[in-house]
């Protein structure tokens, strides 16, 4: 890199550049406050809006006309201006001597007469330098190379040009002086800087800044004191009247020695002061007006001609270096014009405004309310300037700036040390230089040091915006300087008390305004104090603004209220101290309705608001309480003090502000206690929400503390919701469940929360229950065989623990295992229900269980038992199904082995049952014939039948089956012997006496007479019934008037035709209803079908049946009945024989003598004989005695007739005999009786 040339400008470092996001850009003051810690360190910063933020240009360019400021660049720089002022004095001096000043050249450079004069004075003066020969030293200090005898040239030039002037300054008598010039010397033209710089263009804003509006009052104040004599307008003194010079144009007075350059004598003729002379000479250029287009054409033409290239191709670095070269030279006079401080109210702002002439499109309407619209920024809620009622041009109302190449704005700070913001709407860049606010006094000191002459005559020089100084010079003296190039569409912000200056790179259009935030408040009061010391006008009353703010304390931003309270404390304390020096405050005045000129301290020019003092001698003159002694020479008795508020009114105002500030402080204190977790007792979550709500309702600032509080409250809410879900058990998915460690950390988080939540104790209890659950789980899981009930209880406890418990799967496994083991144990404890299917099911269930030693052991036992059981089941089944049957010894041996198997084995149980039945059967079979007993057929049959269901080889079974077979054979033989073909009666019914006798037999034949226990009783009953039946049947056959009412025969109809009469029951039957035996011989008794029950075999056929039955040795009912029948028969035979022996038959013969033809039944036999005859008919055995008895009675007592027609061969007379006649009975021929022996 090449080294810069001597005096070449070196650009300062760049200031910060910020590019906010849309979110940050939404709130201007919040963003400015955010970047302030960085940006205020450099005094200025640049902000690039988001790319899409492009407001339309709304200025009325057709109406815009302005008068620019004329700027000679080398007159702006402080050190250059000092040199020019010095040269003007030298030129005026020689002009008064009648000579023209020409500046010599040394080494082809214009000699710096100011520096030469200064160095000589610093070295002790001309005589000292000559005496000590220091001219070479001076030449070196001025930058000339040593060894070229430059010192002698400098001495000659000093002695020729400067030495006479210095002698004049000392007041010494000056001999006639002449100025000889070299032909190479350059003639110097005076600049008259003080006069021209005091002339400004007329104001174009009706509400201009008060400092500018009041700038002429200094001279008015001076003139107002010219009561008896003239006073010099420069020094303010009326002494040395003989040297006072009166201007013929404006009547201003000046000492001739106060003029620059001073005059030795009062000039003859008309004399005009520098101000009048400048007005005459420069009025035709200063007040020239431009339109925007005309100014742009002029500006572009100037730049392109100066750099000899198109304006857009000139590098900014080249323009910057050329600018600082021009302002530092006295050889080149370059003049530019600057349209500065143009009132936007008259021509319209560059930003769109409501009710303006510019029609805003719908998509651009948001620019109307944007905080970055410079018409809105000063009056936003966060700007304290909104509490100033007046519209102040340039401060609350934007000013417009139309620049051209090299047009500049000098070093200055904003009025009241406020912020400023500048937006470049379009055009070429604007170059800025800035110094931070903390370096303001340093910068002022450096400028005063380097240009003391300017500040001696004008202490507030830097407030006049007419002085510039090279940034390199300031930086070389320790002042931090930063720069930036502001391009179109960019903002530049200057911070409080930050000096800034700059120049334009070319034709452009900018807009600027001031704003003040709460951090400016103490600086604003300090600025007023500073202005008081400088006797500088205030643009607005700081105290008035403070009081206006205090009246709105209830809705004020709390941070602003805190700042305002501090400012009010200072204000009221000072006011109190000042009022204590005044005997009495006499009247109350509404200062805000007075014009500013009427309420300004004529001493310090401060705008009075809280109080002021006037005097009766000059009621229009007012001073503040600081300058009471400067009012007039009269006594305090004549002073009239006035006030806006009494102290009693100010204190409540301050208290309302304090209350607003303290509410925030209290809130901040409470929040800080929560955030920093201070105090022994935490606040509840509800109190956090109350604090958040309080911040919102009271419009507390959006601070990081509030964000922290909201974050804490939000986190606490989430924790509270999570805690409640944990307590309610409503976390539905396992993914959402907390682990135990997370729960522990969660509880720790609750402890670390800056607040208390009501679920915290419950959650701690939950954690305690979880820990207890884990301990119980470890104990149960370590147990070899835990109880299923305890495991289930523990799992039931886990349902109330909405936490991810790693033991749960294992506990569920162990619960399944425990339940299975208990099922196995219960099944094993009840072997009678432990079947093969149960064992298989348990084994299948056990296979699905998680492996465990206890399960494996139980599975092994169960599998072993199943295997043994299956084997024995198959073996037993084979034993039971074996053919031939196994012996009982084999089965008992198997049963003994099976009984030790603890399971329910159907086949084995069947085996046991079979063995039991077999044993019982054998025992019964043995008991049946024990002691020579004759077994009963039913028992024998039942025993044989039972043997069929016993699959065991039973040795007695074959013998018993043989007996049963013999009995069955006997019964068949007996049946064939006794029963008729298709007989409805069984063998037993035939053999036993009957009780169902008579016509009602068929209805009651199924009934059994169970009351009678012996056959003898039955026989007795049979005889009684039959005899009664015979008597009944005989009685109904007695002659009657009509026989049609009789019911006889099996058909139960009236008698008709030939009828048959039973010899036993004595009932009559129609021949067509009964079957008769055609071979029935005379002397044979006819029995009806109801009485003829069997074949009635002969006794000789029956006796062998009884003998064979006795051989079988089996007792059966039929046998008993047969035995009773034979015994009855034998007894009847004996009775017949006894009757014959007793002569019963002879008695019968005598009774029937004299009858020719009668029936046996018609005979009136004795009861013994009738019973004997009836019992003979009842016997189911054919006996010769029966027939013999019947025939004997028939033949002996009733002789055989000559004709005995058989049944069906009756004579016609017989057939014609009346029906139903008792005499129409079938009779049989008499038969011979066999003698009974």
């Amino acid at each position: 890199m090449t080294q810069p040339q001597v005096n070449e400008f070196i650009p300062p470092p760049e200031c910060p550049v910020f590019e906010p996001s849309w979110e940050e850009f939404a709130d201007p003051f919040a963003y400015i406050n955010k970047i302030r810690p960085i940006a205020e360190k450099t005094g200025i910063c640049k902000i690039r809006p988001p790319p899409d933020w492009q407001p339309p240009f709304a200025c009325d360019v057709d109406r815009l006309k302005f008068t620019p400021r004329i700027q000679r660049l080398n007159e702006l720089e402080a050190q250059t201006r000092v040199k020019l002022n010095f040269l003007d004095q030298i030129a005026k001096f020689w002009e008064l001597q009648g000579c023209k000043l020409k500046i010599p050249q040394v080494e082809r450079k214009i000699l710096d007469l100011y520096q030469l004069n200064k160095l000589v004075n610093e070295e002790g003066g001309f005589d000292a330098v000559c005496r000590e020969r220091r001219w070479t030293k001076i030449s070196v200090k001025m930058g000339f190379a040593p060894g070229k005898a430059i010192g002698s040239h400098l001495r000659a030039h000093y002695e020729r040009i400067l030495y006479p002037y210095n002698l004049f300054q000392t007041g010494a008598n000056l001999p006639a002086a002449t100025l000889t010039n070299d032909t190479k010397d350059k003639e110097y033209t005076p600049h008259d800087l003080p006069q021209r710089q005091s002339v400004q263009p007329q104001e174009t804003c009706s509400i201009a800044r008060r400092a500018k509006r009041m700038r002429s009052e200094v001279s008015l104040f001076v003139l107002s004191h010219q009561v008896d004599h003239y006073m010099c307008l420069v020094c303010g003194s009326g002494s040395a009247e003989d040297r006072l010079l009166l201007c013929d144009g404006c009547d201003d007075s000046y000492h001739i020695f106060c003029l620059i350059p001073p005059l030795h004598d009062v000039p003859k003729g008309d004399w005009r002061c520098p101000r009048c002379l400048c007005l005459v000479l420069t009025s035709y250029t200063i007040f020239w007006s431009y339109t925007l287009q005309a100014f742009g054409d002029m500006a572009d033409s100037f730049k392109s001609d100066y750099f000899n290239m198109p304006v857009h191709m000139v590098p900014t670095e080249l323009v910057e270096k050329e600018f600082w070269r021009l302002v530092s030279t006295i050889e080149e006079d370059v003049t530019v014009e600057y349209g500065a401080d143009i009132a936007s109210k008259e021509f319209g702002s560059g930003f769109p405004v409501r009710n303006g002439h510019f029609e805003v499109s719908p998509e651009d309407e948001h620019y109307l309310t944007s905080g970055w619209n410079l018409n809105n920024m000063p009056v936003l809620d966060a700007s304290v300037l909104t509490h100033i009622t007046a519209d102040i041009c340039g401060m609350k109302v934007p000013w417009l700036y139309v620049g051209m190449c090299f047009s500049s704005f000098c070093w200055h700070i904003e009025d009241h040390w406020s912020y400023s913001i500048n937006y470049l709407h379009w055009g070429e860049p604007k170059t800025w230089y800035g110094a931070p606010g903390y370096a303001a006094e340093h910068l002022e000191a450096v400028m005063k040091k380097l240009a003391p002459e300017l500040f001696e005559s004008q202490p507030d020089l830097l407030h006049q915006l007419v002085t510039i100084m090279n940034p390199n010079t300031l930086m070389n003296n320790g002042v931090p300087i930063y720069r930036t190039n502001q391009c179109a569409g960019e903002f530049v912000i200057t911070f409080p008390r930050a000096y800034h200056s700059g120049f334009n790179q070319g034709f452009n259009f900018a807009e600027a305004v001031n704003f003040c935030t709460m951090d400016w408040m103490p600086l604003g009061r300090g600025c007023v104090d500073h202005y008081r010391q400088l006797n500088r006008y205030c643009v607005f009353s700081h105290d008035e603004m403070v009081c206006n703010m205090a009246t709105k304390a209830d809705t004020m931003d709390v941070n602003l209220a805190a700042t305002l309270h501090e400012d009010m404390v200072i204000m009221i304390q000072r006011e109190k101290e000042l009022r204590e020096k005044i005997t009495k405050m006499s009247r109350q005045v509404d200062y805000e309705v007075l014009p500013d000129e009427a309420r300004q301290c004529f001493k310090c020019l401060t705008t009075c608001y809280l109080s002021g003092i006037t005097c009766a001698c000059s009621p229009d003159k007012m001073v503040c309480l600081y300058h009471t002694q400067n009012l007039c020479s009269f006594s305090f008795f004549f002073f009239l003090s006035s006030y806006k508020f009494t102290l009693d009114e100010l204190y409540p105002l301050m208290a309302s502000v304090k209350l607003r500030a303290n509410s925030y402080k209290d809130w901040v204190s409470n929040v800080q206690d929560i955030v920093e977790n201070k105090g022994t007792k935490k606040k509840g979550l509800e109190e956090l929400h109350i604090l958040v709500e309080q911040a919102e309702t009271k419009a507390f600032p959006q601070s990081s503390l509030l964000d922290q509080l909201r974050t804490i409250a939000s986190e606490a809410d989430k924790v509270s919701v999570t805690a409640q879900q944990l307590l309610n058990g409503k976390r539905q998915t396992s993914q959402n469940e907390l682990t135990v460690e997370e729960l522990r950390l969660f509880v720790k988080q609750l402890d670390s929360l800056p607040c208390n939540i009501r679920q915290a104790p419950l959650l701690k209890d939950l954690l305690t229950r979880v820990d207890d659950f884990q301990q119980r789980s470890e104990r149960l899981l370590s147990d070899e065989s835990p109880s299923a009930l305890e495991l289930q209880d523990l799992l039931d406890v886990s349902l109330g623990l909405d936490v991810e418990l790693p033991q749960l799967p294992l506990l569920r496994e162990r619960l399944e295992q425990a339940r299975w083991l208990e099922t196995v144990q219960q099944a094993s404890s009840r072997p009678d229900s432990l079947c093969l299917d149960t064992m298989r099911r348990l084994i299948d269930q056990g296979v699905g269980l998680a492996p465990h030693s206890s399960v494996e052991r139980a599975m092994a036992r169960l599998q072993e038992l199943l295997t043994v059981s299956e084997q024995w089941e198959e073996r037993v089944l084979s034993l039971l199904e074996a053919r031939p049957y196994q012996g009982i010894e084999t089965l008992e041996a198997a049963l003994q082995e099976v009984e030790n198997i603890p399971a329910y084995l159907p086949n084995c149980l069947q085996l046991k049952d079979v063995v039991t039945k077999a044993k019982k059967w054998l025992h019964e079979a043995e008991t049946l014939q024990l002691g020579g007993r004759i077994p009963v057929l039913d028992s024998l049959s039942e025993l044989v039948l039972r043997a069929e269901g016993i699959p065991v080889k039973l040795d007695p079974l074959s013998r018993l089956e043989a007996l049963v077979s013999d009995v069955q054979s006997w019964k068949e033989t007996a049946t064939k012997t006794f029963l008729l073909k298709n007989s409805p009666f069984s063998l037993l019914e035939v053999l036993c006496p009957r009780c169902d006798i008579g016509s009602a037999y068929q209805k009651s034949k199924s009934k059994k007479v169970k009351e009678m226990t012996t056959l003898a009783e039955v026989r007795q009953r049979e005889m009684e019934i039959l005899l009664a039946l015979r008597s009944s049947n005989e009685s109904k056959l007695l002659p009657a008037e009509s026989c049609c009412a009789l019911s006889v025969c099996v058909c139960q109809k009236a008698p008709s035709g030939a009828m048959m009469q039973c010899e036993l029951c004595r009932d009559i039957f129609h021949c067509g209803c009964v079957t008769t035996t055609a071979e029935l011989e005379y002397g044979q008794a006819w029995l009806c079908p109801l009485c003829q029950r069997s074949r009635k075999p002969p006794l000789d056929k029956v006796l062998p049946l009884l003998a064979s039955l006795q051989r079988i040795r089996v007792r059966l009912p039929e046998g008993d009945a047969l035995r009773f029948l034979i015994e009855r028969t034998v007894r009847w035979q004996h009775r017949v024989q006894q009757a014959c022996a007793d002569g019963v038959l002879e008695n019968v013969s005598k009774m029937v003598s004299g009858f020719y033809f009668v029936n046996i039944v018609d005979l009136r036999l004795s009861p013994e004989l009738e019973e004997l005859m009836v019992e003979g008919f009842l016997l189911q055995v054919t006996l010769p005695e029966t027939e013999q008895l019947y025939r004997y009675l028939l033949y002996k007592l009733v002789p055989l007739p000559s004709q005995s027609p058989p049944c069906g061969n009756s004579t016609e007379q017989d057939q014609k005999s009346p029906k139903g006649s008792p005499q129409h009975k079938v009779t049989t021929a008499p038969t011979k009786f066999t003698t009974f022996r």
Side-chain angles (χ1 to χ4, degrees), residues 845-1111:
Q845 292 174 355
V847 170
L849 296 176
H852 191 266
S853 58
S854 59
V855 174
E856 292 172 357
R857 288 195 297 270
M859 284 282 290
R861 291 194 299 267
L862 203 57
Q863 185 64 51
E864 181 182 3
L865 179 61
L866 177 62
T867 303
V868 172
S869 300
E870 289 176 342
Q871 291 175 352
W872 272 107
E873 282 286 273
E874 293 176 2
R875 183 178 174 184
V876 168
L877 182 61
S878 64
L879 288 175
L880 295 177
E881 293 180 352
R883 296 294 183 274
Y885 292 146
Q886 298 292 326
I888 191 168
E889 294 81 5
T890 303
L891 297 180
E892 284 183 333
L895 185 60
Q896 288 179 356
E897 297 186 26
V898 166
E899 286 179 349
N900 297 326
I901 301 176
Y904 173 75
L905 305 177
N907 293 343
C908 295
L909 291 177
Q910 184 180 359
L911 175 62
K912 183 178 181 180
D913 183 62
V914 166
V915 171
T916 301
K917 289 180 179 180
K919 286 183 178 182
K920 182 179 180 182
W921 189 93
L922 290 173
H923 176 71
E924 291 178 357
E926 183 181 355
T927 305
L928 192 63
Q929 295 178 333
L930 185 65
R933 295 179 182 178
I934 298 176
V936 180
L937 177 61
D938 290 341
S939 299
L940 188 61
S941 299
E942 189 269 339
L943 198 60
V944 172
L945 183 62
R946 280 165 52 197
E948 294 178 1
I950 302 175
V952 181
K953 182 180 179 182
L954 303 172
D955 294 335
L957 179 61
S958 59
R959 180 170 53 84
L960 296 179
E961 287 177 343
L963 285 175
V964 173
S965 178
D966 291 345
V967 171
Q968 293 297 334
S969 298
W970 181 87
K971 287 180 68 174
E972 290 175 1
T973 302
T975 300
K976 292 178 182 180
T977 301
F978 282 96
L979 296 184
L980 294 172
K981 186 177 182 181
N982 297 325
S983 174
F985 306 106
S986 65
L987 179 61
L988 183 60
E989 290 175 336
V990 170
L991 295 178
C992 290
R994 57 181 181 137
C995 294
D996 46 354
I997 298 174
S999 59
Y1001 163 71
Q1002 291 182 345
K1003 298 179 181 179
S1004 61
K1005 66 179 181 178
S1006 61
K1007 296 180 181 179
K1008 305 290 184 180
V1009 181
K1010 297 182 180 180
E1011 293 81 359
M1012 301 176 186
T1013 58
T1014 63
L1015 292 176
E1017 292 176 354
V1018 176
R1019 178 252 169 199
Q1020 183 63 33
R1021 178 64 177 166
E1022 179 186 35
M1023 289 300 296
E1024 293 173 356
I1025 294 175
L1026 187 58
L1027 291 174
L1029 178 63
R1030 283 171 60 86
S1031 175
S1032 174
N1033 289 337
E1034 287 177 353
S1035 64
K1036 70 180 180 181
L1037 294 177
L1038 293 178
E1041 295 179 0
S1042 175
C1043 62
C1044 295
L1046 294 177
S1047 296
V1048 297
C1049 191
V1050 293
C1051 65
Q1052 294 295 306
K1053 293 182 180 180
S1056 64
M1059 304 294 290
M1060 298 289 292
Q1061 189 173 26
C1062 177
E1063 291 292 346
L1064 183 59
C1065 66
R1066 304 306 292 164
D1067 198 3
I1068 60 174
F1069 298 87
H1070 298 102
C1071 291
C1073 292
V1074 296
T1075 302
T1076 61
T1077 305
E1079 292 82 12
L1080 185 66
E1081 297 178 359
Y1082 179 77
Q1084 288 183 343
W1086 180 82
L1087 301 179
C1088 69
L1090 298 178
C1091 296
Q1092 185 67 34
R1093 295 170 63 85
S1094 69
R1095 291 178 181 272
K1096 290 191 176 184
L1099 184 60
D1100 57 354
K1101 289 186 178 181
V1102 175
L1103 291 176
L1105 287 175
L1106 182 60
S1108 63
L1109 180 61
Q1110 291 176 349
R1111 288 193 298 269

Side-chain angles (χ1 to χ4, degrees), residues 580-599:
E580 288 176 351
K581 299 177 182 180
I582 307 299
T583 57
K584 183 179 180 182
M585 302 299 292
S586 58
R587 61 172 180 168
Q588 189 169 15
V589 177
D590 290 335
Y591 281 98
E592 62 268 17
V593 301
L594 298 177
D596 291 342
E597 296 84 354
R599 57 182 178 126

Side-chain angles (χ1 to χ4, degrees), residues 700-711:
F700 288 165
Q702 296 294 328
S703 61
S704 60
L705 195 62
L706 178 57
D707 293 339
Q708 285 180 290
L709 179 63
R710 284 175 174 159
T711 302

Side-chain angles (χ1 to χ4, degrees), residues 46 298 356 528 892 1074:
K46 183 166 67 174
M298 179 274 296
V528 173
E892 284 183 333
V1074 296

Side-chain angles (χ1 to χ4, degrees), residues 6-7 83 106 109-125 129 132-147 150-151 154:
V6 179
N7 297 328
K83 294 179 182 180
V106 178
K109 293 192 302 182
I110 297 296
L111 179 61
D112 190 347
L113 294 177
Y114 172 79
Q115 185 181 17
L116 176 60
N117 184 70
K118 185 176 181 181
L119 290 175
V120 171
N121 291 336
E122 289 176 356
E123 293 294 331
V129 173
E132 297 178 7
R133 297 183 179 182
R134 298 179 185 171
W135 291 107
T136 302
K137 179 180 178 182
I138 291 176
S139 67
V140 173
K141 287 183 177 182
M142 293 185 67
F144 295 105
I150 301 300
L154 296 179

